[in-house]
Amino acid sequence: MPVTLRQLADRLSRPAGRVDPLPRAARAPAVVTAVGGVREGFQQQRGPDGRPWAPLKFARPRGGSLVLLDTGRLRASVVGRADAETVTVGTNRPGAATQHYGATIRPKRAKALAIPLTPTAARFPPRDFPGKLVWIPTRRADPSARGVLAELKWTGRGRKAKPELVRHYVLRAQVVIPARPFVGFSAETVREITRLAADAQLEVLTRRLTGG
């Protein structure tokens, strides 16, 4: 059935003829796009603005060098939602804000922070370490350095046995965690959500104008 210009103008002027900026059909795909964009940033090791994250300062006890991907739980915690006008992404995982905005961490009761360097150290605080630890001072070129905790081990047998110091913890007066923004919308994500919204708006208008 043909629609006259007068009928078209009348339909578009009615409240029912208005189209949401983000129609319902586009909301779920928009959330998937937004969350996927944030999670992709973890793999590419960059923020939504495209800037690379600062690398790790200390090696992980379990190995691996990807920033914010020690266990993958932070990346998996990213979720999103959408309504008629907005798309949001975020996470409620403890410590997420510290990683996103950065922070300076200082000990509350102890004299220094103990950063584990080995898998065994990652499982125990220094006072519960299953072995005898010795404190080794370090040069104070870094004012935050407070030495290391190491374990004396013997390698070899008999006269060939040699002492070896295994470093298990680095002691620091404070640790500065650089900001690594991971929540946000990249330019590519914005373009895709804009396309989804435009396609859904066109579909809604087409149905209304044709009576479908």
Short mmCIF file of all heavy atoms in Angstrom, two decimals, residues 147-174:
data_model
loop_
_atom_site.label_atom_id
_atom_site.label_comp_id
_atom_site.label_asym_id
_atom_site.label_seq_id
_atom_site.Cartn_x
_atom_site.Cartn_y
_atom_site.Cartn_z
N GLY A 147 65.97 -5.15 50.04
CA GLY A 147 66.69 -6.40 50.03
C GLY A 147 65.88 -7.55 49.47
O GLY A 147 64.78 -7.36 48.91
N VAL A 148 66.41 -8.77 49.64
CA VAL A 148 65.73 -9.97 49.17
C VAL A 148 65.77 -11.03 50.27
O VAL A 148 66.64 -11.00 51.14
CB VAL A 148 66.37 -10.53 47.88
CG1 VAL A 148 66.28 -9.54 46.75
CG2 VAL A 148 67.82 -10.95 48.14
N LEU A 149 64.83 -11.94 50.21
CA LEU A 149 64.84 -13.11 51.08
C LEU A 149 65.19 -14.32 50.23
O LEU A 149 64.53 -14.59 49.22
CB LEU A 149 63.47 -13.31 51.74
CG LEU A 149 63.04 -12.24 52.75
CD1 LEU A 149 61.64 -12.53 53.27
CD2 LEU A 149 64.03 -12.15 53.90
N ALA A 150 66.24 -15.01 50.64
CA ALA A 150 66.73 -16.14 49.84
C ALA A 150 66.88 -17.38 50.72
O ALA A 150 66.94 -17.30 51.95
CB ALA A 150 68.06 -15.78 49.19
N GLU A 151 66.93 -18.52 50.07
CA GLU A 151 67.10 -19.80 50.76
C GLU A 151 68.44 -20.39 50.37
O GLU A 151 68.79 -20.43 49.18
CB GLU A 151 65.97 -20.74 50.36
CG GLU A 151 66.03 -22.11 51.04
CD GLU A 151 64.93 -23.03 50.55
OE1 GLU A 151 64.33 -22.75 49.49
OE2 GLU A 151 64.68 -24.05 51.22
N LEU A 152 69.20 -20.84 51.35
CA LEU A 152 70.50 -21.45 51.09
C LEU A 152 70.30 -22.93 50.80
O LEU A 152 69.79 -23.68 51.63
CB LEU A 152 71.43 -21.26 52.28
CG LEU A 152 72.84 -21.86 52.14
CD1 LEU A 152 73.59 -21.21 50.96
CD2 LEU A 152 73.62 -21.71 53.43
N LYS A 153 70.72 -23.34 49.62
CA LYS A 153 70.62 -24.75 49.24
C LYS A 153 71.99 -25.25 48.80
O LYS A 153 72.82 -24.49 48.33
CB LYS A 153 69.60 -24.94 48.11
CG LYS A 153 68.16 -24.80 48.54
CD LYS A 153 67.22 -25.21 47.41
CE LYS A 153 65.79 -25.26 47.88
NZ LYS A 153 64.87 -25.74 46.79
N TRP A 154 72.16 -26.57 48.95
CA TRP A 154 73.41 -27.19 48.53
C TRP A 154 73.14 -28.05 47.30
O TRP A 154 72.21 -28.84 47.27
CB TRP A 154 74.01 -28.04 49.65
CG TRP A 154 74.51 -27.21 50.79
CD1 TRP A 154 73.80 -26.74 51.85
CD2 TRP A 154 75.85 -26.74 50.96
NE1 TRP A 154 74.59 -26.01 52.68
CE2 TRP A 154 75.86 -25.99 52.16
CE3 TRP A 154 77.03 -26.87 50.23
CZ2 TRP A 154 77.02 -25.37 52.64
CZ3 TRP A 154 78.18 -26.26 50.71
CH2 TRP A 154 78.16 -25.53 51.89
N THR A 155 73.96 -27.86 46.30
CA THR A 155 73.84 -28.66 45.08
C THR A 155 75.06 -29.57 44.96
O THR A 155 76.17 -29.21 45.34
CB THR A 155 73.76 -27.75 43.85
OG1 THR A 155 74.94 -26.92 43.75
CG2 THR A 155 72.54 -26.84 43.92
N GLY A 156 74.86 -30.75 44.44
CA GLY A 156 75.95 -31.71 44.32
C GLY A 156 76.09 -32.55 45.58
O GLY A 156 75.34 -32.39 46.55
N ARG A 157 77.07 -33.43 45.58
CA ARG A 157 77.29 -34.34 46.71
C ARG A 157 78.75 -34.31 47.15
O ARG A 157 79.66 -34.05 46.37
CB ARG A 157 76.90 -35.76 46.34
CG ARG A 157 75.41 -35.95 46.05
CD ARG A 157 75.11 -37.40 45.73
NE ARG A 157 73.69 -37.62 45.49
CZ ARG A 157 73.16 -38.80 45.19
NH1 ARG A 157 73.96 -39.87 45.11
NH2 ARG A 157 71.86 -38.90 44.97
N GLY A 158 78.94 -34.64 48.44
CA GLY A 158 80.30 -34.77 48.98
C GLY A 158 81.10 -33.50 48.82
O GLY A 158 80.62 -32.39 49.05
N ARG A 159 82.34 -33.68 48.36
CA ARG A 159 83.24 -32.54 48.23
C ARG A 159 82.83 -31.61 47.09
O ARG A 159 83.26 -30.46 47.04
CB ARG A 159 84.66 -33.04 47.99
CG ARG A 159 85.25 -33.81 49.17
CD ARG A 159 86.66 -34.26 48.84
NE ARG A 159 87.25 -34.99 49.98
CZ ARG A 159 88.48 -35.50 49.96
NH1 ARG A 159 89.23 -35.36 48.86
NH2 ARG A 159 88.94 -36.15 51.02
N LYS A 160 81.99 -32.12 46.20
CA LYS A 160 81.56 -31.30 45.06
C LYS A 160 80.33 -30.45 45.39
O LYS A 160 79.86 -29.68 44.55
CB LYS A 160 81.27 -32.18 43.86
CG LYS A 160 82.50 -32.90 43.31
CD LYS A 160 82.14 -33.69 42.08
CE LYS A 160 83.37 -34.38 41.50
NZ LYS A 160 83.04 -35.14 40.27
N ALA A 161 79.83 -30.63 46.59
CA ALA A 161 78.65 -29.86 46.98
C ALA A 161 78.99 -28.37 47.06
O ALA A 161 80.04 -27.99 47.58
CB ALA A 161 78.11 -30.35 48.32
N LYS A 162 78.09 -27.57 46.53
CA LYS A 162 78.30 -26.13 46.52
C LYS A 162 77.04 -25.42 47.04
O LYS A 162 75.93 -25.85 46.76
CB LYS A 162 78.60 -25.64 45.10
CG LYS A 162 79.91 -26.18 44.53
CD LYS A 162 80.14 -25.62 43.14
CE LYS A 162 81.45 -26.14 42.56
NZ LYS A 162 81.69 -25.62 41.19
N PRO A 163 77.24 -24.34 47.80
CA PRO A 163 76.08 -23.59 48.29
C PRO A 163 75.48 -22.75 47.16
O PRO A 163 76.19 -22.24 46.29
CB PRO A 163 76.67 -22.72 49.39
CG PRO A 163 78.10 -22.52 48.98
CD PRO A 163 78.51 -23.80 48.31
N GLU A 164 74.19 -22.61 47.20
CA GLU A 164 73.49 -21.81 46.19
C GLU A 164 72.37 -21.04 46.88
O GLU A 164 71.61 -21.59 47.67
CB GLU A 164 72.91 -22.70 45.10
CG GLU A 164 72.11 -21.94 44.06
CD GLU A 164 71.46 -22.86 43.04
OE1 GLU A 164 71.61 -24.10 43.16
OE2 GLU A 164 70.76 -22.35 42.15
N LEU A 165 72.28 -19.78 46.59
CA LEU A 165 71.24 -18.94 47.15
C LEU A 165 70.10 -18.83 46.13
O LEU A 165 70.31 -18.41 45.00
CB LEU A 165 71.77 -17.54 47.48
CG LEU A 165 72.57 -17.41 48.78
CD1 LEU A 165 73.13 -15.99 48.89
CD2 LEU A 165 71.68 -17.72 49.98
N VAL A 166 68.92 -19.23 46.56
CA VAL A 166 67.74 -19.15 45.71
C VAL A 166 66.89 -17.97 46.19
O VAL A 166 66.39 -17.98 47.31
CB VAL A 166 66.91 -20.45 45.75
CG1 VAL A 166 65.67 -20.33 44.87
CG2 VAL A 166 67.77 -21.64 45.33
N ARG A 167 66.77 -16.98 45.37
CA ARG A 167 65.97 -15.80 45.72
C ARG A 167 64.48 -16.14 45.63
O ARG A 167 64.00 -16.54 44.58
CB ARG A 167 66.30 -14.64 44.77
CG ARG A 167 67.70 -14.09 44.94
CD ARG A 167 68.19 -13.36 43.69
NE ARG A 167 67.19 -12.53 43.07
CZ ARG A 167 67.14 -11.20 43.16
NH1 ARG A 167 68.06 -10.56 43.88
NH2 ARG A 167 66.22 -10.50 42.54
N HIS A 168 63.77 -15.94 46.75
CA HIS A 168 62.34 -16.25 46.77
C HIS A 168 61.46 -15.01 46.85
O HIS A 168 60.34 -15.03 46.33
CB HIS A 168 62.03 -17.16 47.96
CG HIS A 168 62.47 -18.57 47.78
ND1 HIS A 168 61.87 -19.45 46.89
CD2 HIS A 168 63.48 -19.27 48.37
CE1 HIS A 168 62.47 -20.62 46.94
NE2 HIS A 168 63.46 -20.54 47.83
N TYR A 169 61.95 -13.95 47.48
CA TYR A 169 61.14 -12.74 47.63
C TYR A 169 62.01 -11.50 47.41
O TYR A 169 63.16 -11.45 47.83
CB TYR A 169 60.52 -12.63 49.03
CG TYR A 169 59.66 -13.78 49.45
CD1 TYR A 169 60.22 -14.86 50.13
CD2 TYR A 169 58.29 -13.80 49.20
CE1 TYR A 169 59.43 -15.93 50.54
CE2 TYR A 169 57.49 -14.85 49.61
CZ TYR A 169 58.07 -15.92 50.27
OH TYR A 169 57.29 -16.98 50.69
N VAL A 170 61.42 -10.51 46.78
CA VAL A 170 62.00 -9.17 46.72
C VAL A 170 61.24 -8.31 47.73
O VAL A 170 60.00 -8.33 47.75
CB VAL A 170 61.87 -8.55 45.31
CG1 VAL A 170 62.29 -7.09 45.33
CG2 VAL A 170 62.73 -9.31 44.32
N LEU A 171 61.95 -7.58 48.54
CA LEU A 171 61.33 -6.73 49.56
C LEU A 171 61.33 -5.28 49.09
O LEU A 171 62.36 -4.77 48.64
CB LEU A 171 62.08 -6.86 50.89
CG LEU A 171 62.18 -8.28 51.48
CD1 LEU A 171 62.96 -8.25 52.79
CD2 LEU A 171 60.80 -8.88 51.68
N ARG A 172 60.17 -4.65 49.20
CA ARG A 172 60.03 -3.27 48.75
C ARG A 172 59.26 -2.45 49.78
O ARG A 172 58.32 -2.94 50.42
CB ARG A 172 59.25 -3.21 47.43
CG ARG A 172 59.77 -4.11 46.34
CD ARG A 172 60.91 -3.49 45.60
NE ARG A 172 60.49 -2.28 44.89
CZ ARG A 172 61.30 -1.58 44.09
NH1 ARG A 172 62.54 -1.96 43.92
NH2 ARG A 172 60.85 -0.50 43.50
N ALA A 173 59.68 -1.20 49.96
CA ALA A 173 58.97 -0.30 50.86
C ALA A 173 57.62 0.08 50.26
O ALA A 173 56.65 0.34 50.98
CB ALA A 173 59.79 0.95 51.13
N GLN A 174 57.55 0.10 48.95
CA GLN A 174 56.30 0.38 48.26
C GLN A 174 56.40 -0.14 46.83
O GLN A 174 57.50 -0.37 46.32
CB GLN A 174 55.98 1.87 48.24
CG GLN A 174 56.97 2.70 47.42
CD GLN A 174 56.60 4.17 47.39
OE1 GLN A 174 55.99 4.69 48.31
NE2 GLN A 174 56.96 4.84 46.30
#
